[in-house]
Amino acid sequence: MSRILHSFVLETGAELLKALRAPEFIFPTLGMPVAFYSLFAIMIPGSSNNPDYLLATYGVFAVMGPAIFGFGISVANERDKGWLDLKLAAPSLGFSYIAAKVCSTLLFSSLSLVIIYLVAGFAAGVVLPQPTWALLLTTHILATFPFILIGLIIGFIFNANAAIAISNVIFLAFAALGGLWIPIMLFPQSMQSFAHFLPTFHLSEIALYVLGAPGERDLNYHILIIAIMSLVLLAATAFAWSKQRNH
C-alpha cells in the first residue's frame, strides 16, 4: 500500500509540474470559460436572469476542457512516446497513473470553477444561498468524470495528432450542441432532440435544476441518462485499457 501511495504522490506531482510547464494548456483551459461567461453574462446580458443561467451551463463548460484535453491529448502523446508502455510494465503503477491524472484534472477544473464563481458573484451580481453554491460546485465537479472517460478513450485509441483533432471536435460539438453556449430552447426542434444524446445537455440541465433556473426539468431523468452514459463510457474505457495492457 505504501508503495502504491508513494507512486501516486510522485505521479500527481509530475502531472502538476507538466501542466505548469505548459501555458498553452493552462491559459485556454482557465481563461476561455471565464472569458466567454464574462462576455455573455456581463457585457451583453440578454435578460435579468442570464448571469445565473449561464453560471450553470458555463460551469459544465469549464470542467469539460481539462478532462477531455488533459486526458485525450496527454495520454495519446505518452502512448506515442512509449511512456505508457513503460508505466504498464509495472503493475502497481497502473492505478497511480490514472489516479494522478484524475487529481490533476479535478484541481484545474476546480480552479476554473472558482474563477467563474468569483466573477459571477462579484461582477455579474449572482446571489445564491451558501448551500446552493456548495451544491452547484459539487454538481460541476462531478460533471468532470464523464469527460474524463471520454478523454481516456480518445487517448487509448488514437495517436497524438488524431487525438488533438478529435478532442477539439468533441469539445466544440458538445459545448455548442449541448446548450452550454446558447440556451437549448433557442435551437430548432431537431437540434433540441439531438441534444438528448449528449452528456453536456443532461449535465447542464442538472446544474440548472440545482440553481433553480426557470423551466421544467425532470431531474431523475437527467441523472438516469448520465448514469447510463457513464456506465457505457466506463465499459469502453475498460476495454480500451485492456487493449493497451495486452498490446
Side-chain angles (χ1 to χ4, degrees):
M1 179 62 69
S2 60
R3 182 167 180 257
I4 296 176
L5 180 61
H6 180 65
S7 173
F8 166 70
V9 171
L10 292 178
E11 287 278 6
T12 303
E15 287 294 327
L16 294 175
L17 183 60
K18 181 173 64 177
L20 292 175
R21 289 177 174 175
E24 69 276 7
F25 168 76
I26 294 178
F27 292 130
T29 299
L30 299 182
M32 186 163 63
V34 70
F36 274 37
Y37 177 79
S38 299
L39 175 64
F40 291 106
I42 300 175
M43 299 180 187
I44 48 173
S47 66
S48 59
N49 65 346
N50 212 35
D52 300 62
Y53 186 99
L54 293 180
L55 176 61
T57 61
Y58 275 95
V60 177
F61 181 58
V63 303
M64 183 170 58
I68 292 180
F69 292 116
F71 277 86
I73 298 175
S74 174
V75 172
N77 273 322
E78 290 167 4
R79 280 181 58 242
D80 285 0
K81 294 176 181 178
W83 296 348
L84 187 56
D85 290 335
L86 181 62
K87 293 178 183 295
L88 291 177
S92 65
L93 296 181
F95 167 79
S96 301
Y97 173 71
I98 300 297
K101 287 188 176 295
V102 170
C103 285
S104 176
T105 297
L106 291 178
L107 177 62
F108 281 101
S109 296
S110 299
L111 183 57
S112 182
L113 288 172
V114 167
I115 295 173
I116 288 184
Y117 284 17
L118 289 174
V119 170
F122 290 102
V126 175
V127 178
L128 300 173
Q130 288 187 358
T132 303
W133 281 111
L135 186 56
L136 186 64
L137 177 62
T138 302
T139 302
H140 281 148
I141 290 176
L142 290 176
T144 307
F145 287 96
F147 303 120
I148 287 176
L149 296 174
I150 292 172
L152 278 172
I153 294 169
I154 294 171
F156 286 147
I157 294 177
F158 300 99
N159 62 35
N161 290 331
I164 293 173
I166 292 171
S167 295
N168 276 287
V169 169
I170 290 178
F171 177 73
L172 295 174
F174 277 18
L177 300 179
L180 300 187
W181 293 344
I182 301 173
I184 198 73
M185 69 280 295
L186 300 180
F187 289 1
Q189 187 58 49
S190 59
M191 293 180 65
Q192 292 187 36
S193 299
F194 177 77
H196 285 257
F197 294 95
L198 302 177
T200 41
F201 166 72
H202 297 284
L203 291 168
S204 64
E205 289 293 299
I206 294 172
L208 286 166
Y209 182 92
V210 169
L211 195 64
E216 296 181 5
R217 295 179 175 85
D218 187 343
L219 180 63
N220 293 331
Y221 164 73
H222 294 298
I223 291 177
L224 175 62
I225 297 300
I226 283 297
I228 294 173
M229 288 182 174
S230 298
L231 288 175
V232 172
L233 290 171
L234 183 60
T237 303
F239 177 76
W241 173 257
S242 66
K243 296 287 285 186
Q244 290 300 311
R245 297 195 69 90
N246 296 328
H247 176 66

